[in-house]
mmCIF file of all heavy atoms in Angstrom:
data_model
loop_
_atom_site.group_PDB
_atom_site.id
_atom_site.type_symbol
_atom_site.label_atom_id
_atom_site.label_comp_id
_atom_site.label_asym_id
_atom_site.label_seq_id
_atom_site.Cartn_x
_atom_site.Cartn_y
_atom_site.Cartn_z
ATOM 1 N N TYR A 1287 -95.720 -26.279 -140.506
ATOM 2 C CA TYR A 1287 -94.764 -26.516 -141.603
ATOM 3 C C TYR A 1287 -94.659 -28.011 -141.904
ATOM 4 O O TYR A 1287 -94.423 -28.412 -143.048
ATOM 5 C CB TYR A 1287 -93.378 -25.983 -141.247
ATOM 6 C CG TYR A 1287 -93.261 -24.479 -141.155
ATOM 7 C CD1 TYR A 1287 -92.107 -23.886 -140.648
ATOM 8 C CD2 TYR A 1287 -94.291 -23.637 -141.565
ATOM 9 C CE1 TYR A 1287 -91.985 -22.501 -140.555
ATOM 10 C CE2 TYR A 1287 -94.180 -22.259 -141.469
ATOM 11 C CZ TYR A 1287 -93.017 -21.697 -140.956
ATOM 12 O OH TYR A 1287 -92.892 -20.330 -140.864
ATOM 13 N N LYS A 1288 -94.814 -28.836 -140.869
ATOM 14 C CA LYS A 1288 -94.657 -30.285 -141.042
ATOM 15 C C LYS A 1288 -95.685 -30.853 -142.016
ATOM 16 O O LYS A 1288 -95.446 -31.900 -142.632
ATOM 17 C CB LYS A 1288 -94.764 -31.003 -139.699
ATOM 18 C CG LYS A 1288 -96.108 -30.848 -139.007
ATOM 19 C CD LYS A 1288 -96.093 -31.548 -137.649
ATOM 20 C CE LYS A 1288 -97.439 -31.404 -136.935
ATOM 21 N NZ LYS A 1288 -97.432 -32.082 -135.613
ATOM 22 N N TYR A 1289 -96.822 -30.185 -142.178
ATOM 23 C CA TYR A 1289 -97.834 -30.688 -143.099
ATOM 24 C C TYR A 1289 -97.472 -30.423 -144.567
ATOM 25 O O TYR A 1289 -98.148 -30.896 -145.466
ATOM 26 C CB TYR A 1289 -99.197 -30.094 -142.763
ATOM 27 C CG TYR A 1289 -99.695 -30.543 -141.418
ATOM 28 C CD1 TYR A 1289 -99.789 -29.660 -140.347
ATOM 29 C CD2 TYR A 1289 -100.026 -31.871 -141.183
ATOM 30 C CE1 TYR A 1289 -100.211 -30.082 -139.094
ATOM 31 C CE2 TYR A 1289 -100.451 -32.301 -139.935
ATOM 32 C CZ TYR A 1289 -100.544 -31.407 -138.897
ATOM 33 O OH TYR A 1289 -100.949 -31.833 -137.656
ATOM 34 N N PHE A 1290 -96.393 -29.686 -144.759
ATOM 35 C CA PHE A 1290 -95.832 -29.497 -146.101
ATOM 36 C C PHE A 1290 -94.562 -30.320 -146.265
ATOM 37 O O PHE A 1290 -93.793 -30.100 -147.184
ATOM 38 C CB PHE A 1290 -95.541 -28.013 -146.353
ATOM 39 C CG PHE A 1290 -96.778 -27.166 -146.416
ATOM 40 C CD1 PHE A 1290 -97.254 -26.528 -145.288
ATOM 41 C CD2 PHE A 1290 -97.473 -27.023 -147.604
ATOM 42 C CE1 PHE A 1290 -98.406 -25.746 -145.343
ATOM 43 C CE2 PHE A 1290 -98.621 -26.245 -147.676
ATOM 44 C CZ PHE A 1290 -99.090 -25.605 -146.538
ATOM 45 N N ALA A 1291 -94.339 -31.261 -145.322
ATOM 46 C CA ALA A 1291 -93.230 -32.230 -145.336
ATOM 47 C C ALA A 1291 -91.908 -31.661 -144.839
ATOM 48 O O ALA A 1291 -90.851 -32.192 -145.154
ATOM 49 C CB ALA A 1291 -93.040 -32.845 -146.724
ATOM 50 N N GLN A 1292 -91.946 -30.613 -144.038
ATOM 51 C CA GLN A 1292 -90.701 -30.146 -143.425
ATOM 52 C C GLN A 1292 -90.271 -31.106 -142.317
ATOM 53 O O GLN A 1292 -91.095 -31.576 -141.532
ATOM 54 C CB GLN A 1292 -90.864 -28.752 -142.821
ATOM 55 C CG GLN A 1292 -89.539 -28.190 -142.284
ATOM 56 C CD GLN A 1292 -89.740 -26.997 -141.367
ATOM 57 O OE1 GLN A 1292 -90.332 -27.106 -140.311
ATOM 58 N NE2 GLN A 1292 -89.236 -25.857 -141.782
ATOM 59 N N VAL A 1293 -88.973 -31.406 -142.277
ATOM 60 C CA VAL A 1293 -88.404 -32.235 -141.217
ATOM 61 C C VAL A 1293 -87.161 -31.541 -140.674
ATOM 62 O O VAL A 1293 -86.256 -31.190 -141.438
ATOM 63 C CB VAL A 1293 -88.024 -33.645 -141.725
ATOM 64 C CG1 VAL A 1293 -87.265 -34.420 -140.651
ATOM 65 C CG2 VAL A 1293 -89.257 -34.421 -142.163
ATOM 66 N N ASP A 1294 -87.128 -31.321 -139.378
ATOM 67 C CA ASP A 1294 -85.954 -30.716 -138.740
ATOM 68 C C ASP A 1294 -85.916 -31.165 -137.284
ATOM 69 O O ASP A 1294 -86.660 -30.666 -136.449
ATOM 70 C CB ASP A 1294 -86.015 -29.186 -138.822
ATOM 71 C CG ASP A 1294 -84.731 -28.531 -138.337
ATOM 72 O OD1 ASP A 1294 -83.891 -29.227 -137.730
ATOM 73 O OD2 ASP A 1294 -84.561 -27.314 -138.566
ATOM 74 N N HIS A 1295 -85.044 -32.131 -136.999
ATOM 75 C CA HIS A 1295 -84.900 -32.656 -135.642
ATOM 76 C C HIS A 1295 -83.604 -32.193 -134.994
ATOM 77 O O HIS A 1295 -83.062 -32.871 -134.114
ATOM 78 C CB HIS A 1295 -84.953 -34.188 -135.659
ATOM 79 C CG HIS A 1295 -86.268 -34.734 -136.133
ATOM 80 N ND1 HIS A 1295 -87.462 -34.490 -135.476
ATOM 81 C CD2 HIS A 1295 -86.592 -35.502 -137.209
ATOM 82 C CE1 HIS A 1295 -88.453 -35.085 -136.113
ATOM 83 N NE2 HIS A 1295 -87.958 -35.709 -137.165
ATOM 84 N N GLY A 1296 -83.100 -31.036 -135.446
ATOM 85 C CA GLY A 1296 -81.892 -30.499 -134.848
ATOM 86 C C GLY A 1296 -80.650 -30.748 -135.681
ATOM 87 O O GLY A 1296 -80.723 -31.174 -136.834
ATOM 88 N N GLU A 1297 -79.498 -30.481 -135.087
ATOM 89 C CA GLU A 1297 -78.232 -30.532 -135.811
ATOM 90 C C GLU A 1297 -77.353 -31.712 -135.426
ATOM 91 O O GLU A 1297 -76.200 -31.787 -135.842
ATOM 92 C CB GLU A 1297 -77.455 -29.220 -135.574
ATOM 93 C CG GLU A 1297 -78.212 -27.967 -136.008
ATOM 94 C CD GLU A 1297 -78.621 -28.008 -137.478
ATOM 95 O OE1 GLU A 1297 -77.835 -28.513 -138.297
ATOM 96 O OE2 GLU A 1297 -79.738 -27.546 -137.800
ATOM 97 N N ASP A 1298 -77.881 -32.625 -134.626
ATOM 98 C CA ASP A 1298 -77.091 -33.780 -134.183
ATOM 99 C C ASP A 1298 -77.607 -35.075 -134.807
ATOM 100 O O ASP A 1298 -78.827 -35.252 -134.978
ATOM 101 C CB ASP A 1298 -77.154 -33.912 -132.658
ATOM 102 C CG ASP A 1298 -76.555 -32.706 -131.944
ATOM 103 O OD1 ASP A 1298 -75.538 -32.186 -132.442
ATOM 104 O OD2 ASP A 1298 -77.115 -32.310 -130.913
ATOM 105 N N ILE A 1299 -76.690 -35.971 -135.113
ATOM 106 C CA ILE A 1299 -77.075 -37.312 -135.558
ATOM 107 C C ILE A 1299 -77.661 -38.051 -134.358
ATOM 108 O O ILE A 1299 -77.074 -38.063 -133.275
ATOM 109 C CB ILE A 1299 -75.855 -38.081 -136.108
ATOM 110 C CG1 ILE A 1299 -75.306 -37.377 -137.358
ATOM 111 C CG2 ILE A 1299 -76.227 -39.519 -136.432
ATOM 112 C CD1 ILE A 1299 -74.038 -38.006 -137.889
ATOM 113 N N LYS A 1300 -78.823 -38.665 -134.543
ATOM 114 C CA LYS A 1300 -79.450 -39.343 -133.413
ATOM 115 C C LYS A 1300 -80.480 -40.359 -133.896
ATOM 116 O O LYS A 1300 -80.925 -40.321 -135.047
ATOM 117 C CB LYS A 1300 -80.127 -38.335 -132.487
ATOM 118 C CG LYS A 1300 -81.232 -37.527 -133.142
ATOM 119 C CD LYS A 1300 -81.850 -36.547 -132.136
ATOM 120 C CE LYS A 1300 -82.944 -35.701 -132.757
ATOM 121 N NZ LYS A 1300 -83.547 -34.770 -131.778
ATOM 122 N N ILE A 1301 -80.820 -41.269 -133.000
ATOM 123 C CA ILE A 1301 -81.907 -42.218 -133.254
ATOM 124 C C ILE A 1301 -83.207 -41.555 -132.814
ATOM 125 O O ILE A 1301 -83.314 -41.070 -131.687
ATOM 126 C CB ILE A 1301 -81.681 -43.537 -132.504
ATOM 127 C CG1 ILE A 1301 -80.446 -44.253 -133.065
ATOM 128 C CG2 ILE A 1301 -82.911 -44.436 -132.615
ATOM 129 C CD1 ILE A 1301 -80.076 -45.523 -132.334
ATOM 130 N N LEU A 1302 -84.175 -41.515 -133.699
ATOM 131 C CA LEU A 1302 -85.436 -40.839 -133.401
ATOM 132 C C LEU A 1302 -86.351 -41.719 -132.551
ATOM 133 O O LEU A 1302 -86.295 -42.941 -132.602
ATOM 134 C CB LEU A 1302 -86.140 -40.443 -134.698
ATOM 135 C CG LEU A 1302 -85.362 -39.486 -135.612
ATOM 136 C CD1 LEU A 1302 -86.196 -39.115 -136.829
ATOM 137 C CD2 LEU A 1302 -84.946 -38.225 -134.854
ATOM 138 N N ASP A 1303 -87.201 -41.053 -131.788
ATOM 139 C CA ASP A 1303 -88.108 -41.724 -130.862
ATOM 140 C C ASP A 1303 -89.541 -41.557 -131.366
ATOM 141 O O ASP A 1303 -90.096 -40.457 -131.362
ATOM 142 C CB ASP A 1303 -87.955 -41.106 -129.472
ATOM 143 C CG ASP A 1303 -88.767 -41.841 -128.405
ATOM 144 O OD1 ASP A 1303 -89.580 -42.720 -128.774
ATOM 145 O OD2 ASP A 1303 -88.591 -41.524 -127.218
ATOM 146 N N LEU A 1304 -90.156 -42.669 -131.778
ATOM 147 C CA LEU A 1304 -91.533 -42.600 -132.270
ATOM 148 C C LEU A 1304 -92.502 -42.117 -131.195
ATOM 149 O O LEU A 1304 -93.512 -41.486 -131.509
ATOM 150 C CB LEU A 1304 -91.989 -43.970 -132.777
ATOM 151 C CG LEU A 1304 -91.285 -44.539 -134.012
ATOM 152 C CD1 LEU A 1304 -91.968 -45.832 -134.433
ATOM 153 C CD2 LEU A 1304 -91.318 -43.544 -135.153
#
Side-chain angles (χ1 to χ4, degrees):
Y1287 292 170
K1288 62 182 180 180
Y1289 295 111
F1290 293 93
Q1292 185 195 64
V1293 172
D1294 188 348
H1295 297 298
E1297 302 303 322
D1298 298 322
I1299 296 175
K1300 61 180 179 179
I1301 294 176
L1302 300 183
D1303 186 351
L1304 294 185

